[in-house]
Amino acid sequence: MFLPCLYAVVEDINKRRQPLPNFDAVYYIQPTKENVLILLSDMAGKAPLYKEAYIFFSSTVPTELVTYIKREPAIKSRIRGMKEMNLEYIVIDSQCFITDHGKALEELYGDEEINQKGDGCLAAMATRIATVFASMSEFPIIRYRAAKSLDLTTMTTFCDLIPTKLAAAVWNCLIKYKTINSFPQTETCELLILDRSIDQIAPIIHEWTYDAMCHDLLEMDGNKYVHEAPGPTGGFERKEALLEDHDPVWLELRHSHIAEASDQLHDKMTSFMSKNKAARMHRDGNELSSHDLQKIVQALPQYSEQMDKLSLHIAAKIHSIRKETRLNDVGKLEQDLVFGDAGTKDLIKFLTEQRDVTDEYKVRLLMIYAATHPKKFESGKLTKLMELANLSPDDMNAVYNMRFLQEAPETKTSISAFSLKFHHKKKKHGLRKDHPGEETALQLSRFHPMIEELIEKLSKNELPLNEYPCMNDPNPVSVRARDSTPGRSMRSRPSTWARPRSSDDGYSRDSVQSRATSELKKMGKRIFVFIVGGATRSELRVCHQLTTKLSREVILGSSSLDDPAQFVEKLKLLTPNQKEILLHGFVNMNSSIM
């Protein structure tokens, strides 16, 4: 049992530290030989750095490292406790985690000479994924996207094998956990491992929900947004706010279309101003009695907090950016390119007439064009389009590097809604079809991420085993049987990382988050989806929405969660070799566009 700490210093184990021999130390470290050597150096000998040590390892400790620690006689009496925490991941929200491999694209894709570095990246990623299941007491059936080659003479590349390699590495890590009594001995959930090539469009197309628009258009640091709000003595002051699950207004509106969110925010502000007496007095500017002033003072903390939240969530800033940058026009062309309703001529016309469109939007348009017209890589026509857009060499590199995310024709999924087999309409290059029966009023939101249908197919046991094999259970019938068999409910444990908290503002979390948590406890077994190479806000939205639709909690994992600008910058770092440059004709500057 730990006593409350009155004095604490957080320090980096890899840096030189000041001795504090009268204080105890709490180590939270990865179980590596390098870290253990530092630990022994700190705590062994006649003059240890700290009085005593409590050691927490972030994942499973190899037996040889424990033996190594036990060999030091001086350290035994100074270690007060040693425990495996299995917490090597970062929680983004109640249904999303990342392994914090922000350089996964750079280390796993591109030049084939990176294989050794890529294997190390996948091994570290697998360890961190495994700690998710260990900490949640879940043992998954592991499905993964299989690699396929064009024919028997075609070499399977390292990139083709990324999901296969990661699935095997995760399985090897989880097998070790089965020796722990508290870890499930039979499968309790499902895990689908994919890589970024499964959907090249999702990371770059504009997503028109409130959450995605905030992260795409506003200058944010993670989930932190700095904005100006009216100060208590007049004028404006800078404030920081976190757009996270603790804010019920954000929780309620984050996945709404930006137009719908704006309307609802306006209604909430109007309702608050009409119902709250202090707000009405503040608005009307009436002369106030002493009694009224006392009531205002009593209500002011709540009033100020609520007004800050609502002002934060007003979408006026986003609307202004959309108007100034002609984003609606850009978004329409993006959607038309994806669905095959626009082609090369339309893109040329847009780039010719809309010369004031930002370089960022041009790059993303051309990246979408490259994904929907892969043959243009081989002709040099893509280069001419980028010259027309007046892109810098750095931006051109991002467009060229889209080819690293291309699949061989056989690896295109056979799922009807997203198949590329609509080339019977010769002029169509669309990667998507409109969803049957879907509302068409919001033309800027026709796009659906690929994982949506994959998750639905997985839930119905309809994913083809030849394309998405099982690492530990090749029989789909047993998957269905286990999922419908009564028994110990996986929802008997906390269903999300987020915890409901009490609220004294006008929008209680009980009406949003607590109710959602209660519903999750009644659901079936979890579905985990892990995407190597970065996930997107649109894919996170899909997981939240499918949780309700399928009555199964869907949790998204990835090496990172990227906004479009971050993804574009990462693509710029991929380096082709000279052979690829010549093969794809990137130096062919004399071909025509059409």
Side-chain angles (χ1 to χ4, degrees), residues 395-444:
D395 287 338
M396 292 173 74
N397 198 44
V399 180
Y400 284 144
N401 287 343
M402 285 291 287
R403 72 197 182 282
F404 290 126
L405 302 181
Q406 288 183 344
E407 307 168 271
E410 277 79 356
T411 64
K412 300 291 185 182
T413 179
S414 61
I415 297 174
S416 60
F418 299 128
S419 177
L420 282 182
K421 297 176 182 178
F422 356 139
H423 286 174
H424 59 282
K425 295 183 179 180
K426 295 183 179 180
K427 294 184 179 180
K428 282 270 189 174
H429 290 273
L431 285 177
R432 298 292 193 273
K433 281 184 178 179
D434 284 305
H435 281 48
E438 187 174 70
E439 291 286 341
T440 58
L442 301 175
Q443 288 296 314
L444 296 175

Side-chain angles (χ1 to χ4, degrees), residues 99-115:
T99 59
D100 198 27
H101 287 94
K103 294 186 177 181
L105 277 177
E106 183 181 352
E107 295 180 0
L108 296 173
Y109 296 85
D111 195 328
E112 282 295 309
E113 299 300 321
I114 61 174
N115 289 15

Side-chain angles (χ1 to χ4, degrees), residues 51-276:
K51 183 179 178 181
E52 293 178 332
Y54 299 83
I55 305 169
F56 296 90
F57 289 104
S58 60
S59 58
T60 304
V61 188
T63 304
E64 57 268 24
L65 288 184
V66 177
T67 304
Y68 201 67
I69 294 173
K70 289 181 178 179
R71 287 178 186 167
E72 291 289 337
I75 201 175
K76 289 182 180 179
S77 61
R78 295 167 184 163
I79 295 180
R80 301 295 294 166
M82 195 160 59
K83 186 177 179 63
E84 295 174 348
M85 296 298 292
N86 295 311
L87 291 171
E88 282 197 16
Y89 55 91
I90 298 174
V91 174
I92 299 298
D93 77 355
S94 60
Q95 289 176 235
C96 181
F97 72 92
I98 60 171
T99 59
D100 198 27
H101 287 94
K103 294 186 177 181
L105 277 177
E106 183 181 352
E107 295 180 0
L108 296 173
Y109 296 85
D111 195 328
E112 282 295 309
E113 299 300 321
I114 61 174
N115 289 15
Q116 187 172 359
K117 182 184 289 186
D119 283 333
C121 177
L122 289 175
M125 200 178 295
T127 298
R128 296 180 184 182
I129 293 170
T131 66
V132 173
F133 293 100
S135 64
M136 299 179 74
S137 295
E138 295 273 24
F139 181 40
I141 299 166
I142 302 176
R143 303 283 297 272
Y144 60 95
R145 196 186 62 133
K148 292 183 181 179
S149 297
L150 289 171
D151 52 52
L152 295 177
T153 64
T154 305
M155 289 289 292
T156 301
T157 67
F158 179 86
C159 296
D160 294 332
L161 292 170
I162 286 174
T164 307
K165 285 174 171 282
L166 182 58
V170 171
W171 172 250
N172 290 336
C173 292
L174 290 175
I175 284 297
K176 298 175 184 177
Y177 286 121
K178 291 192 72 173
T179 61
I180 304 173
N181 292 334
S182 59
F183 192 75
Q185 299 301 300
T186 58
E187 291 83 352
T188 61
C189 62
E190 294 181 83
L191 166 64
L192 177 61
I193 295 178
L194 309 167
D195 70 302
R196 191 62 272 166
S197 66
I198 198 69
D199 190 345
Q200 307 163 46
I201 305 297
I204 47 180
I205 195 169
H206 281 90
E207 160 84 354
W208 294 80
T209 58
Y210 198 24
D211 180 11
M213 284 273 113
C214 286
H215 285 87
D216 194 355
L217 302 184
L218 303 180
E219 294 183 5
M220 295 184 62
D221 180 10
N223 285 338
K224 183 173 69 175
Y225 177 54
V226 179
H227 65 112
E228 290 188 344
T233 59
F236 291 87
E237 60 183 9
R238 291 174 62 82
K239 289 191 175 184
E240 293 184 358
L242 293 176
L243 303 183
E244 292 181 333
D245 288 2
H246 72 277
D247 185 339
V249 178
W250 173 256
L251 199 64
E252 179 183 352
L253 300 180
R254 58 182 172 175
H255 299 315
S256 300
H257 187 278
I258 186 65
E260 297 172 351
S262 298
D263 291 341
Q264 292 184 55
L265 289 169
H266 181 269
D267 292 343
K268 288 181 181 294
M269 178 69 79
T270 302
S271 175
F272 181 80
M273 294 293 286
S274 64
K275 293 179 181 178
N276 188 287

Side-chain angles (χ1 to χ4, degrees), residues 31 40 64 98 230 233 270 289 342-343 382 448 466 590:
L40 296 178
E64 57 268 24
I98 60 171
T233 59
T270 302
S289 66
L382 187 59
H448 288 247
N466 63 325
N590 299 316

